[in-house]
Amino acid sequence: MSTTSHAAGSEHDSQGHHGFSHPMPVWQLLAVFAALIVLTALTVFQSKFDLGNLEVWLSLFIATVKASLVILFFMHMIHDKPLNVIVFMGSFIFVALFLGFVLMDAHGYKDVVEPQEAPPAATTP
Amino acid sequence: MSATEVLDAPHHAEHGEHHHNPFQAHHFDDPEQQYDAGKLGIWLFLVTEVLFFSGMFCAYAMYRSLHPEVWEFSSRFLNPTLGAFNTGVLLFSSLTMAWGVRCAQLRQAKGLAICLTLTLGCASIFLGVKAIEYSHKWDLGLLPASMYTIQSTVTEHHEGISKWLVIFSIIPALCLAGFVGWWVWAWSNNKKAIADIAGPFAITAACYFLGVLFGMFFESGGDKEAHGPMAAVAHATVAHDSHEAHDEHATVGGSAGGHGTANAADASVDKPGGAGLFFSIYYCMTGVHALHIIGGMVVLAWLLVRATKNHFNEEYFGPVDYVGLYWHLVDLIWIYLFPLLYLIT
């Protein structure tokens, strides 16, 4: 490049061949994939046991670990800009609020609603 | 045109040859700015997707927490082997997609085309397996809401090829015939550039039928398990006919008191808002997810065409990256759907 090139251009050259891109090493991709397959096998395996109420939380925990691996590595969040991380992760805060309040509400009124459902005769006008 | 470009006009030609990407829009200062703008855009789109799916997860959470026994009963009709197989297929497609982004960043056009073909193939296999799952359930009358057939009244098991499977397979069969014909035409006319596009498309369409074969194999293997609890439920209700007659009354609003033989779970699954509601939520969630897979396949096909034209490099790989992010999100949703729907015990 000649010396007259503008600042942005020379800045890119100094960052080497790949510019602003961060190619993932192949070993990292394969390791993440292997971990995801192992975790899938684990979640199938744990479903064979009767763990009662704990089961749904355990399977959700494993799913969340898998989701984190996908987000961090396959979706490159580990190299992403803080703004993008805040934007995307922010959506989960709103999902939590949404689910939390709806479930709280549904269960708050459960005692009022359920007796009407139990004897069907009562619901007929 | 920016001021620098005007000042540097003679230099610009040389600059453009080496550095200026033909796909850089003129309103961006440099490729990185263009990439970052697009990236923020796709993340915002993914946020809307997360919120959109959260509505369905909310319905799921609410009805499951209110009627856990219905979910326990209905989940028996889903085949965990097929679900686990499809999870593996989607995870592999995520791997090839992420690898494709790497290929785009490293100017490996051929590698990118291979990765995109594998991703498309996996998407097709996934849909083939889903077609088997859906057609099998529809034959058994496991339909949403009021279309749901009470399972104690279903006595015969469907044999042979389902008519629903034939209906699902019409479009993939037409695609397969069309793409293979296109590929043969391109090949015989020595149009390599077109053959490079038609070939992967033909493979993609063929993969649907591969998925159907996998699905048939696992579904027949899993049948004995799946039918075990089902048969047990059918026997638990003493008289099928009276049960059926009774249920009609229950739907209209009659009394449930005379039905002492069946346990509480049987009574609640057959009511409106029972297993029918489970299948409403099941078809809604998996169906919308499958639509996202189909939408993803359309954009992946677009990327494949561009990959064969060598459009991507270390400064312009945005489209591959953005489609990749979307594809991983679709995978992410399946990661939650699989245990939540198939693995309820």
Side-chain angles (χ1 to χ4, degrees), chain B residues 149-285:
Chain B
T149 316
I150 290 144
Q151 287 301 303
S152 55
T153 61
V154 176
T155 45
E156 45 189 297
H157 173 54
H158 182 83
E159 294 295 336
I161 289 182
S162 159
K163 72 167 182 197
W164 296 113
L165 183 60
V166 176
I167 292 169
F168 282 138
S169 303
I170 290 173
I171 291 174
L174 288 175
C175 287
L176 180 61
F179 291 138
V180 169
W182 193 27
W183 182 77
V184 169
W185 172 83
W187 197 247
S188 56
N189 286 292
N190 223 3
K191 292 183 192 300
K192 203 180 164 297
I194 293 177
D196 282 349
I197 297 168
F201 283 7
I203 292 169
T204 303
C207 277
Y208 168 83
F209 293 98
L210 192 66
V212 166
L213 287 177
F214 278 130
M216 278 177 166
F217 175 74
F218 287 125
E219 187 71 85
S220 62
D223 253 2
K224 284 167 204 83
E225 280 178 55
H227 279 260
M230 225 161 85
V233 169
H235 287 293
T237 52
V238 177
H240 288 188
D241 294 346
S242 71
H243 175 78
E244 189 183 14
H246 164 79
D247 206 86
E248 259 165 50
H249 288 295
T251 319
V252 178
S255 89
H259 196 46
T261 48
N263 58 41
D266 286 342
S268 54
V269 290
D270 293 346
K271 272 198 305 190
L277 190 55
F278 171 88
F279 283 103
S280 299
I281 292 173
Y282 166 79
Y283 287 118
C284 199
M285 295 183 96

Side-chain angles (χ1 to χ4, degrees), chain B residues 65-139:
Chain B
S65 66
L66 288 174
H67 301 284
E69 73 286 352
V70 173
W71 291 73
E72 219 173 279
F73 169 84
S74 313
S75 174
R76 294 174 208 183
F77 298 107
L78 308 187
N79 187 334
T81 316
L82 285 181
F85 176 77
N86 257 352
T87 308
V89 168
L90 272 197
L91 290 177
F92 183 73
S93 79
S94 260
L95 168 72
T96 55
M97 189 70 235
W99 203 323
V101 174
R102 181 192 143 85
C103 289
Q105 290 167 335
L106 297 176
R107 289 189 186 234
Q108 298 164 345
K110 184 141 192 151
L112 174 59
I114 292 169
C115 282
L116 290 173
T117 308
L118 285 171
T119 312
L120 278 166
C122 284
S124 276
I125 291 174
F126 180 90
L127 290 177
V129 174
K130 266 273 63 68
I132 286 283
E133 288 189 86
Y134 276 17
S135 58
H136 187 71
K137 282 181 192 64
W138 294 2
D139 284 336

Side-chain angles (χ1 to χ4, degrees), chain B residues 306-323:
Chain B
R306 295 195 65 182
T308 61
K309 292 177 178 170
N310 229 335
H311 282 181
F312 302 113
N313 54 53
E314 68 282 349
E315 285 197 334
Y316 182 71
F317 56 92
V320 187
D321 204 16
Y322 309 150
V323 171

